[in-house]
Amino acid sequence: EYAPKNWFTGIIEINVTNLAGVPSIIYGLLALGLFVYQFGFGQSILSAGLTLALLILPIVIVSTREAIRAIPAMIRVGSMAVGATRWQTCRYHIIPYAMPGILTGILLALARISGETAPLLFTALNNQYWNTDLSKPMASVPAVIFQFAMSPFEYWNTLAWAGAFIVTLFVLCVSIFARIILTRNNKHG
């Protein structure tokens, strides 16, 4: 909204858009080198959380940018015509009108990371058991599903199918909720 259109902002936009399409395994390797070894966080929930934040950040940025660009210019001009500053226009008009699109992007990004295993394998999944110490490695649902699916025990295979169904159901519910927000925005917009 405030950045001038020049070569520098163009490069940033292209890179953020490209980062939204990078496979999660690349983020996992980046996190292994950066958070686990370089910063010394080790294989912990902190490393995993930072990795997942990096993974969804480009998606949220791109969806937010598109939601803000979808706001008609006459809203900006009308707000400034009655004496509002650029900040007041953004705060009281642009952001509230773009909020459904922003929330949709956030929900879709959360749906993406709900099943991501690759970044977590490198940062926090040295353990197959759940624990409460956030500085220690621990398990995640996708990794536990994989371990249970590969087990020779039939009961564990059943649990793996149940876990996969729950993750799929979660992603479906988040996607439906995002669609409802987007549809509601289009009706009132």
Side-chain angles (χ1 to χ4, degrees):
E1 195 64 26
Y2 289 113
K5 302 253 188 242
N6 57 29
W7 64 271
F8 183 70
T9 57
I11 289 173
I12 290 175
E13 281 190 31
I14 289 171
N15 286 324
V16 168
T17 304
N18 288 338
L19 284 174
V22 171
S24 60
I25 189 82
I26 303 300
Y27 283 100
L29 291 171
L30 170 76
L32 179 66
L34 190 64
F35 299 135
V36 175
Y37 294 125
Q38 187 67 30
F39 292 157
F41 296 150
Q43 291 188 332
S44 64
I45 297 301
L46 178 62
S47 296
L50 290 171
T51 305
L52 293 178
L54 280 178
L55 180 69
I56 68 170
L57 188 62
I59 299 167
V60 173
I61 289 172
V62 168
S63 64
T64 301
R65 182 183 67 203
E66 294 306 317
I68 289 174
R69 283 185 181 169
I71 305 300
M74 66 180 164
I75 291 178
R76 293 173 177 86
V77 172
S79 174
M80 290 184 186
V82 295
T85 63
R86 286 182 79 180
W87 168 246
Q88 289 171 331
T89 300
C90 284
R91 182 174 180 203
Y92 296 113
H93 299 288
I94 304 300
I95 293 174
Y97 286 121
M99 192 55 69
I102 295 169
L103 289 176
T104 300
I106 291 170
L107 290 173
L108 292 175
L110 289 175
R112 178 181 177 191
I113 66 166
S114 66
E116 290 292 347
T117 305
L120 298 176
L121 287 173
F122 294 110
T123 56
L125 295 181
N126 252 1
N127 192 355
Q128 64 179 348
Y129 305 106
W130 301 98
N131 62 42
T132 56
D133 188 359
L134 298 181
S135 65
K136 302 281 187 209
M138 68 183 303
S140 78
V141 174
V144 171
I145 289 171
F146 177 75
Q147 289 173 350
F148 281 18
M150 301 314 279
S151 170
F153 305 114
E154 188 176 328
Y155 177 69
W156 284 23
N157 295 144
T158 305
L159 290 176
W161 281 105
F165 176 74
I166 289 170
V167 169
T168 304
L169 190 65
F170 173 75
V171 171
L172 180 67
C173 289
V174 168
S175 298
I176 289 171
F177 186 63
R179 177 55 81 180
I180 289 170
I181 290 175
L182 191 58
T183 304
R184 181 184 298 168
N185 181 43
N186 288 340
K187 283 183 182 176
H188 295 126

